[in-house]
Amino acid sequence: TTPRNNRPGLILANDDGILDSYVIIEYLDELAGGGKLIPTSGPDRWKVKSDHSLLQGMLDSMLLCRYEAMVRPEPLRWKAWSDDHWNRAWTGMARFENRPDWLSGPFDIVPIGLVCVLGYADFRFADCGWRKAYPKLDAFHQKMLERPSVKVSVPPAA
């Protein structure tokens, strides 16, 4: 569920909540015994955390583009600013397109985050052309959409 602050939230059985995607992932990783979604130590841990941070930035940039286009009044929109944010997301996609190790690696926070980024691009920017520009990401995303855990999280068609 998403609380009022528009950040992802997980409501627990005791009515407590956990806010933010990364904190939710840490919680789920702990429930799974640790080291499943986030490596526990070493270079892999820092690589995964860094890539997850990049993915969060990509999502934040796309969200800002969405707000700029849909919420800000037309006379106040700043195209260069919005273009810069879109370029950040697009450049991030290019980075993952050129790193097939993440597209076929373990199902940890990086592919989970990448599925979220690509799903958001489909949901809010359906005509942006990412699938044509990044065929490896498209194939990865199609494969991930077959996972039951991903299928249940896809928003309904508008």
Side-chain angles (χ1 to χ4, degrees):
T1 183
T2 302
R4 275 198 214 124
N5 67 1
N6 291 323
R7 297 304 290 181
L10 177 66
I11 299 173
L12 304 176
N14 63 3
D15 288 332
D16 283 342
I18 298 176
L19 295 178
D20 192 62
S21 297
Y22 194 79
V23 180
I24 293 167
I25 288 288
E26 286 185 298
Y27 172 77
L28 295 173
D29 192 48
E30 183 179 292
L31 283 181
K36 307 281 192 277
L37 299 173
I38 306 166
T40 56
S41 64
D44 286 345
R45 177 178 175 82
W46 305 114
K47 184 177 178 184
V48 162
K49 288 177 75 98
S50 292
D51 283 335
H52 184 267
S53 183
L54 172 65
L55 289 161
Q56 279 300 127
M58 292 165 65
L59 275 173
D60 288 346
S61 285
M62 286 194 292
L63 182 63
L64 290 171
C65 289
R66 174 78 176 163
Y67 282 166
E68 184 73 9
M70 301 304 293
V71 178
R72 188 178 304 275
E74 171 73 42
L76 301 177
R77 292 184 189 155
W78 187 4
K79 183 167 176 16
W81 179 87
S82 184
D83 288 349
D84 180 61
H85 277 285
W86 184 254
N87 187 55
R88 294 172 192 208
W90 202 255
T91 301
M93 288 182 202
R95 176 184 165 119
F96 286 100
E97 173 77 6
N98 294 317
R99 298 230 353 249
D101 56 315
W102 281 124
L103 302 181
S104 60
F107 194 67
D108 59 25
I109 62 171
V110 176
I112 292 169
L114 189 53
V115 166
C116 293
V117 165
L118 300 175
Y120 188 74
D122 278 346
F123 185 60
R124 294 295 187 203
F125 303 97
D127 297 329
C128 73
W130 75 263
R131 291 178 182 277
K132 185 176 180 183
Y134 305 114
K136 292 176 193 167
L137 288 183
D138 183 25
F140 162 81
H141 195 250
Q142 292 303 319
K143 179 180 170 187
M144 291 297 106
L145 287 173
E146 295 303 314
R147 292 180 67 97
S149 60
V150 175
K151 280 184 183 181
V152 301
S153 67
V154 174

